């Protein structure tokens, strides 16, 4: 009988709901000065308010029940992770919420940024392409450039399952390989974030929409890429062993112009340290890591459109050259030689 009574007491304690704890949620933007906000969230106050206004329809709760988080707090939680790559427990303590709440809020905000901002688009209209070509030409007098393309590795947590090995990149760590095209203002015009770290840059291009578009559209222009890509009529690569002054001038102009995509990646990782090895690695599954990368690229373009100053860069953010392309597809050699002869001969 005593055992039965004791069992009932234990069952009652197990089913008794814990009282909810509502932590202090002071308005961060009202308590920090401008420099502190930029150091913590990488965006100035007016840019954060603008971002909140854009995402509010997707983040605002329909009611005030259960002390629902404001869109402001949700955006700040996501920005704090993008800028620092912190643990969710730290984000929870900083913003007065639980770790599980941070997880839900970050996922919701990340999805809202991907779906709502829509700031990544390749110039397809003739007028837009003309503006893009002129901007690139002003860098080093390289003609008809529609964009500069490259890939970058984003470190991630070791995936589980049989696909773990394909995420080990050429540098020996688990990563996703991201392909991006940028314009002369370091704005991303195409981003492909869906491939594991062992994928070659040329393979990503061949299986991307931007590669198929450039192959079939017949544009009067081309992309610039490094030696990791095949030389195509619409994708010009550097000359490996230049033998004439014209070829050396071509390589110099090509390098100076294509450097924009290297700078774009450096600016992206400098502003959003969760993408750089100094911030650890993205602690998510590969599909969610791909989404985080795309969201940060959207925010990168958001910052470019507002002409926000770049954060301090470091030498370890400089891109390294990838593996050279050694395949048979090099049908752009005649086009490249024509550019050398017509535009860089003295």
């Amino acid at each position: 009988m005593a055992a039965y009574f004791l069992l009932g007491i234990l069952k009652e304690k197990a089913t008794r709901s814990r009282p909810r704890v509502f932590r202090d949620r002071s308005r961060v933007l009202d308590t920090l000065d401008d420099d502190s906000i930029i150091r913590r969230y990488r965006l100035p106050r007016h840019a954060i308010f603008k971002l909140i206004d854009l995402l509010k329809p997707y983040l605002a709760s329909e009611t005030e029940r259960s002390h629902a988080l404001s869109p402001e707090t949700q955006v700040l939680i996501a920005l704090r992770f993008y800028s620092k790559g912190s643990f969710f427990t730290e984000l929870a303590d900083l913003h007065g919420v639980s770790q599980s709440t941070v997880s839900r809020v970050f996922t919701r905000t990340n999805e809202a940024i991907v779906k709502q901002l829509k700031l990544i688009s390749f110039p397809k209209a003739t007028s837009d392409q003309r503006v893009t070509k002129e901007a690139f030409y002003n860098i080093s007098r390289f003609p008809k450039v529609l964009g500069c393309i490259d890939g970058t590795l984003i470190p991630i947590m070791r995936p589980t399952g049989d696909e773990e090995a394909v995420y080990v990149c050429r540098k020996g760590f688990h990563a996703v390989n991201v392909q991006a095209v940028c314009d002369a203002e370091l704005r991303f015009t195409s981003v492909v974030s869906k491939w594991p770290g062992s994928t070659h840059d040329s393979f990503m291009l061949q299986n991307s929409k931007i590669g198929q578009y450039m192959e079939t559209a017949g544009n009067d222009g081309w992309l610039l890429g490094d030696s990791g890509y095949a030389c195509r009529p619409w994708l010009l690569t550097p000359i490996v062993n230049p033998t004439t002054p014209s070829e050396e001038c071509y390589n110099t102009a090509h390098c100076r112009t294509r450097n924009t995509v290297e700078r774009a990646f450096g600016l992206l990782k400098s502003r959003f340290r969760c993408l750089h090895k100094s911030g650890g690695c993205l602690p998510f599954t590969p599909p969610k890591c791909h989404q985080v990368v795309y969201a940060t690229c959207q925010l990168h373009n958001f910052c470019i459109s507002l002409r926000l100053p770049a954060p301090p860069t470091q030498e370890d953010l400089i891109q390294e050259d990838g593996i050279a392309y050694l395949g048979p597809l090099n049908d752009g050699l005649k086009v490249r030689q024509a550019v050398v002869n017509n535009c860089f001969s003295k």
Side-chain angles (χ1 to χ4, degrees):
M1 183 67 181
Y4 180 79
F5 180 74
L6 179 61
L7 181 63
I9 294 177
L10 294 176
K11 184 176 181 181
E12 180 181 357
K13 289 183 177 180
T15 57
R16 187 181 302 167
S17 61
R18 293 184 303 170
R20 295 191 63 182
V21 177
F22 298 103
R23 301 173 176 85
D24 176 42
R25 298 176 188 168
S26 57
R27 294 175 62 89
V28 175
L29 297 181
D30 292 341
T31 58
L32 296 176
D33 57 52
D34 292 341
D35 291 339
S36 298
I37 290 175
I38 294 176
R39 284 198 303 269
R40 286 165 172 78
Y41 300 101
R42 284 295 192 268
L43 270 65
R45 192 188 309 270
H46 73 277
I48 294 177
F49 279 128
K50 185 174 181 63
L51 183 62
I52 292 172
D53 290 339
L54 291 173
L55 301 180
K56 185 176 296 184
Y58 296 85
L59 301 179
S61 175
E62 296 181 357
T63 67
E64 294 291 336
R65 296 179 59 185
S66 302
H67 290 242
L69 286 180
S70 65
E72 174 184 321
T73 302
Q74 297 180 57
V75 170
L76 290 177
I77 288 174
L79 288 178
R80 177 71 179 191
F81 178 83
Y82 294 144
S83 62
K84 300 291 185 179
S86 306
F87 292 105
F88 277 7
T89 51
E90 179 186 346
L91 296 178
D93 295 339
L94 289 173
H95 297 90
V97 296
S98 65
Q99 180 180 351
S100 59
T101 299
V102 169
S103 180
R104 291 193 301 269
V105 164
F106 178 77
T107 299
R108 185 188 308 125
T109 308
N110 198 66
E111 292 175 352
I113 292 173
V114 171
K115 295 178 181 178
Q116 173 64 8
L117 293 189
K118 298 178 181 179
L119 298 175
I120 301 175
S121 60
F122 189 78
K124 296 182 179 180
T126 304
S127 58
D128 294 336
Q129 290 187 356
R130 182 171 59 253
V131 172
T132 301
K133 292 176 185 178
E134 291 176 354
F136 274 118
Y137 184 80
N138 292 332
I139 296 176
S140 191
R141 302 180 68 83
F142 203 108
K144 300 183 180 181
V145 179
L146 296 174
C148 296
I149 186 170
D150 201 2
T152 189
L153 296 169
I154 306 297
I156 67 171
M157 181 178 62
R158 175 178 177 172
T160 59
D162 298 334
E163 296 184 347
E164 178 268 334
V166 300
Y167 284 92
V168 179
C169 67
R170 57 187 171 83
K171 298 183 180 180
F173 58 86
H174 295 87
V176 294
N177 199 359
V178 181
Q179 172 189 285
V181 179
C182 80
D183 62 15
E185 295 183 352
L186 312 186
R187 181 184 292 104
F188 291 121
T189 57
S190 174
V191 174
V192 178
S193 177
K194 65 177 183 179
W195 295 103
S198 62
T199 309
H200 196 280
D201 291 352
S202 63
F203 180 85
M204 290 195 297
L205 178 59
Q206 292 174 16
N207 293 273
S208 65
K209 291 183 179 180
I210 187 64
Q212 297 170 3
Y213 169 76
M214 294 298 296
E215 184 78 46
T216 58
N219 292 307
D220 183 26
W222 36 67
L223 304 177
L224 298 187
D226 60 17
S227 57
Y229 297 98
C231 185
R232 306 297 310 277
W234 46 269
L235 173 60
L236 301 186
T237 58
I239 299 174
V240 178
N241 296 307
T243 58
T244 65
S246 298
E247 291 179 349
E248 292 178 355
C249 289
Y250 166 89
N251 272 6
T252 300
H254 185 285
C255 178
R256 290 176 178 173
T257 307
R258 197 192 66 83
N259 182 255
T260 53
V261 70
E262 310 282 3
R263 292 164 53 208
F265 282 139
L267 179 57
L268 173 71
K269 293 182 180 182
S270 177
R271 180 171 275 131
F272 304 116
R273 303 296 292 194
C274 70
L275 304 180
H276 190 254
K277 58 187 177 182
S278 62
C281 64
L282 294 180
F284 311 116
T285 62
K288 189 170 183 178
C289 290
H290 296 312
Q291 190 180 59
V292 170
V293 172
Y294 197 85
T296 53
C297 290
Q298 292 269 31
L299 289 175
H300 169 88
N301 283 4
F302 175 76
C303 296
I304 295 293
S305 64
L306 294 180
R307 300 193 178 279
L308 301 183
T313 57
Q314 298 180 7
E315 292 183 358
D316 61 352
L317 295 174
I318 298 175
Q319 283 282 115
E320 296 183 8
D321 293 336
I323 302 174
Y325 176 80
L326 300 175
L329 190 61
N330 275 301
D331 56 349
L333 297 179
K334 292 183 178 179
V335 175
R336 184 175 69 184
Q337 191 60 43
V339 173
V340 172
N341 297 335
N342 297 331
C343 302
F344 297 100
S345 60
K346 295 183 179 180

